[in-house]
Amino acid sequence: MIVAVDGTLASGKGTIARALAAWLGVPHLDTGALYRATALSALTAGVRLEDEAALAELAGCLDVEAFEDRDLRTAAVGQAASKVAALPAVRAALVSFQRNFAERPGGAVLDGRDIGTVICPTADVKLWVDADIAERARRRRKELDAAGQPISQDKMVAELTERDERDRSRSVAPMQKAKDAVLIDTTDLCIDAAVDKARSVITAVLDARSRHL
């Protein structure tokens, strides 16, 4: 079974995706980490974020496991990743990796912004996870505070608004809800309740399949 979990930053999609993968007993891929790792590689090597060819080369030989998660989660890397992800050559360099991961025996859970629309358009289950921007900003601020990178609520809202617009308006694989994706609004949900909602969607699909066997 392939499960596509798309949505906005700090909506909870990554946490939900990891929980679903553990529940189903399949591997999980945070596709955003691929773009973050590419961006961090560029920042470390001094590669300009406008140098599409050089960035695509970095993406093509990426070893995500070589990066520490805390280094990929900084605000600076997140903003750079959003710019890198808008470049067609970079996305093309990472498409095969993502699709090959999804097609593993038994399936997989992938989370990102274009899984259900571009990477796995025929996924068995598609979820779109979102939340009110003020709540998303509060969650992201909490993460950054814990990492020693404090930021004001107003600035965080502004950064999320900018990032959402960039992700939605990019010419290649824009962030958008697939027509057949099920919306999970996590604004007023604790993570356990959000995961339960996601599980119920998958359970319904599995039950429907069993009835047709």
Side-chain angles (χ1 to χ4, degrees):
M1 168 171 279
I2 298 175
V3 180
V5 184
D6 291 306
T8 52
L9 178 65
S11 60
K13 68 180 183 299
T15 304
I16 290 171
R18 287 190 294 273
L20 292 177
W23 177 59
L24 290 168
V26 298
H28 163 251
L29 177 64
D30 170 7
T31 63
L34 302 177
Y35 297 99
R36 285 176 177 269
T38 301
L40 180 55
S41 295
L43 294 173
T44 303
V47 174
R48 293 183 303 108
L49 298 182
E50 298 77 26
D51 190 339
E52 187 169 353
L55 289 166
E57 185 174 347
L58 287 175
C61 57
L62 202 60
D63 179 9
V64 181
E65 296 182 357
F67 298 88
E68 293 288 339
D69 187 67
R70 64 175 181 272
D71 296 327
L72 298 178
R73 299 294 170 182
T74 66
V77 170
Q79 289 287 6
S82 183
K83 295 176 182 178
V84 166
L87 302 175
V90 173
R91 301 199 74 85
L94 294 173
V95 164
S96 293
F97 180 95
Q98 295 172 79
R99 287 179 175 162
N100 289 338
F101 188 96
E103 292 167 4
R104 294 182 178 195
V109 178
L110 292 81
D111 75 80
R113 287 169 175 74
D114 66 341
I115 309 305
T117 54
V118 176
I119 302 302
C120 301
T122 60
D124 300 281
V125 175
K126 299 180 187 179
L127 303 174
W128 177 264
V129 185
D130 204 354
D132 178 81
I133 195 166
E135 174 60 18
R136 290 165 51 211
R138 185 194 67 78
R139 295 172 185 172
R140 183 62 175 144
R141 284 181 62 213
K142 185 177 180 181
E143 292 177 359
L144 293 176
D145 284 346
Q149 304 172 58
I151 185 173
S152 71
Q153 176 75 1
D154 287 345
K155 186 174 181 181
M156 192 71 257
V157 168
E159 288 192 3
L160 287 178
T161 300
E162 177 187 349
R163 173 130 183 214
D164 287 349
E165 176 58 28
R166 184 162 57 239
D167 290 347
R168 288 189 181 108
S169 62
R170 63 191 180 211
S171 60
V172 177
M175 177 180 72
Q176 60 183 344
K177 178 180 176 291
K179 292 181 179 179
D180 53 347
V182 176
L183 169 66
I184 297 180
D185 186 335
T186 66
T187 303
D188 299 313
L189 296 178
C190 67
I191 191 58
D192 287 343
V195 171
D196 283 345
K197 278 202 167 190
R199 285 175 178 163
S200 69
V201 175
I202 295 175
T203 298
V205 171
L206 293 174
D207 287 347
R209 282 186 178 178
S210 65
R211 289 195 297 271
H212 287 86
L213 290 178

